[in-house]
């Protein structure tokens, strides 16, 4: 069929709107038909050849939860505050390269996560990570981007109290005192923290980062290890993997998917193997 591109973006966001104007100019110059919409639930995906998402992880999460759109190849032009998911793929380093990849990149089939009735592309965070997402979304500051996220990290880091969590990984039961529990499809969370350094997007498994009862002073002293993915040096850190995770009732632990708060367990989390189609530059 003739090429027709569906474009969605973060509403009322100046950066996204500036990028949108550049993308429109490119498409108009190449005489490629397109439609722009921030309300995707009523769109019939069968009328389109591609989907381009302008925004961050939250915009991408909102998009993939519009079920009829999952079969379209997705090009990503980052415009969010963290843009963590794209650290696991190669889409280029400049806006010009991002646009080129979104329009003409290679096809890559990647895994998709599902927790209860919600899809996610990057990962699920529970405990300290979920609390940070809650603070970030509900207590805005004058800071923007990574600086705003780090502000909330430092604000919560010393005072967060680990909690008992019962969970199962591929049927194997666990009960741990947990500071942070991250189920990763991509490698990076929270504006650049490489919690899942061994995660792969297409292996049919989640990379799981479990941080147990980490004392407050040790948290501050080792925050840099989380940035570069070397936190396995800490005795409180354990890396696990699995395709099906069951998290039991724990009303004191907030969770997020792709930075969007989803409440508290119980959760059933599973991998949908190579369910999503991405436009990429080259495999990483």
């Amino acid at each position: 069929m003739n090429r027709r591109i569906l474009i969605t973006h973060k509403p009322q966001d100046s950066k996204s709107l500036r990028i949108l104007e550049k993308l429109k100019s490119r498409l108009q110059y190449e005489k490629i038909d397109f439609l722009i919409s921030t309300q995707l639930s009523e769109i019939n995906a069968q009328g389109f050849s591609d989907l381009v998402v302008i925004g961050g992880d939250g915009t991408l999460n909102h998009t993939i939860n519009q079920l009829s759109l999952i079969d379209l190849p997705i090009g990503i032009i980052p415009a969010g505050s963290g843009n963590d998911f794209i650290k696991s793929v190669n889409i280029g380093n400049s806006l010009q390269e991002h646009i080129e990849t979104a329009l003409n990149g290679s096809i890559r089939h990647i895994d998709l996560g599902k927790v209860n009735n919600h899809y996610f592309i990057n990962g699920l965070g529970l405990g300290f990570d979920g609390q940070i997402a809650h603070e970030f979304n509900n207590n805005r500051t004058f800071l923007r981007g990574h600086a705003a996220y780090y502000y909330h990290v430092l604000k919560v880091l010393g005072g967060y109290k680990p909690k008992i969590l019962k969970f199962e990984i591929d049927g194997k039961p666990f009960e741990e005192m947990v500071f942070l529990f991250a189920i990763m499809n991509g490698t990076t969370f929270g504006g650049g923290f490489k919690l899942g350094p061994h995660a792969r997007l297409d292996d049919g498994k989640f990379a799981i980062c479990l941080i147990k009862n980490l004392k407050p002073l040790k948290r501050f002293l080792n925050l840099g290890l989380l940035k570069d993915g070397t936190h396995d040096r800490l005795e409180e850190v354990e890396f696990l993997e699995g395709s099906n995770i069951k998290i039991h009732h724990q009303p004191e632990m907030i969770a997020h998917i792709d930075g969007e708060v989803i409440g508290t367990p119980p959760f059933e989390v599973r991998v949908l193997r190579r369910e999503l189609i991405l436009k990429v530059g080259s495999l990483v």
Side-chain angles (χ1 to χ4, degrees), residues 107-119:
I107 292 295
R108 183 179 181 186
H109 293 261
I110 70 162
D111 299 339
L112 192 61
K114 191 172 186 181
V115 51
N116 296 351
N117 294 316
H118 300 278
Y119 295 101

Side-chain angles (χ1 to χ4, degrees), residues 6-75:
L6 176 60
I7 304 169
T8 191
H9 62 92
K10 185 177 180 180
Q12 299 177 336
D13 177 74
S14 58
K15 182 177 181 180
S16 296
L17 292 173
R18 287 195 300 271
I19 293 172
L20 178 61
E21 288 304 312
K22 292 182 180 296
L23 177 60
K24 285 168 58 179
S25 296
R26 168 76 180 267
L27 294 173
Q28 288 164 348
Y29 177 77
E30 296 188 11
K31 296 181 171 57
I32 297 174
D33 191 20
F34 63 90
L35 175 70
I36 301 166
S37 177
T38 58
Q39 301 295 325
L40 300 179
S41 58
E42 300 177 359
I43 299 292
N44 182 357
Q46 292 181 348
F48 297 91
S49 59
D50 308 76
L51 171 64
V52 175
V53 180
I54 303 172
D57 294 344
T59 306
L60 190 56
N61 180 275
H62 176 75
T63 300
I64 64 174
N65 276 283
Q66 310 300 311
L67 301 185
S68 65
L69 300 175
I70 286 179
D71 291 335
L72 290 178
I74 298 175

Side-chain angles (χ1 to χ4, degrees), residues 159-177:
Y160 186 81
K161 295 181 180 179
K163 298 166 180 65
I164 289 288
L165 186 66
K166 295 180 180 180
F167 57 96
E168 300 170 22
I169 301 176
D170 293 337
K172 181 180 178 181
F174 295 81
E175 182 174 343
E176 300 282 359
M177 182 68 76

Side-chain angles (χ1 to χ4, degrees), residues 220-239:
F220 284 102
L221 293 176
N222 293 284
L223 194 59
L225 299 183
L226 297 176
K227 289 286 293 179
D228 58 21
T230 58
H231 45 298
D232 58 344
R233 301 178 191 178
L234 302 174
E235 60 182 355
E236 297 88 352
V237 173
E238 186 174 359
F239 290 138

Side-chain angles (χ1 to χ4, degrees), residues 75-93:
I76 304 168
I77 303 178
S81 55
N83 300 315
D84 286 315
F85 173 71
I86 62 162
K87 297 177 176 67
S88 300
V89 292
N90 177 17
I91 62 169
N93 299 309

Side-chain angles (χ1 to χ4, degrees), residues 122-195:
N122 198 36
L124 179 149
L126 187 67
F128 171 71
D129 199 45
Q131 187 65 39
I132 294 300
H134 174 77
E135 292 286 333
F136 183 79
N137 290 330
N138 289 282
N139 297 291
R140 297 294 182 179
T141 76
F142 67 93
L143 299 170
R144 292 293 180 266
H146 290 190
Y149 197 89
Y150 295 154
Y151 166 80
H152 292 293
V153 167
L154 296 174
K155 179 182 175 182
V156 177
L157 186 62
Y160 186 81
K161 295 181 180 179
K163 298 166 180 65
I164 289 288
L165 186 66
K166 295 180 180 180
F167 57 96
E168 300 170 22
I169 301 176
D170 293 337
K172 181 180 178 181
F174 295 81
E175 182 174 343
E176 300 282 359
M177 182 68 76
V178 171
F179 171 70
L180 180 148
F181 188 75
I183 300 173
M184 306 289 295
N185 191 35
T187 61
T188 309
F189 263 11
F193 289 94
K194 202 170 186 179
L195 296 182

Side-chain angles (χ1 to χ4, degrees), residues 88 184-188 196-203 205-208:
S88 300
M184 306 289 295
N185 191 35
T187 61
T188 309
H198 309 300
R200 292 189 58 83
L201 291 171
D202 56 5
D203 62 356
K205 296 179 290 186
F206 294 118
I208 301 165

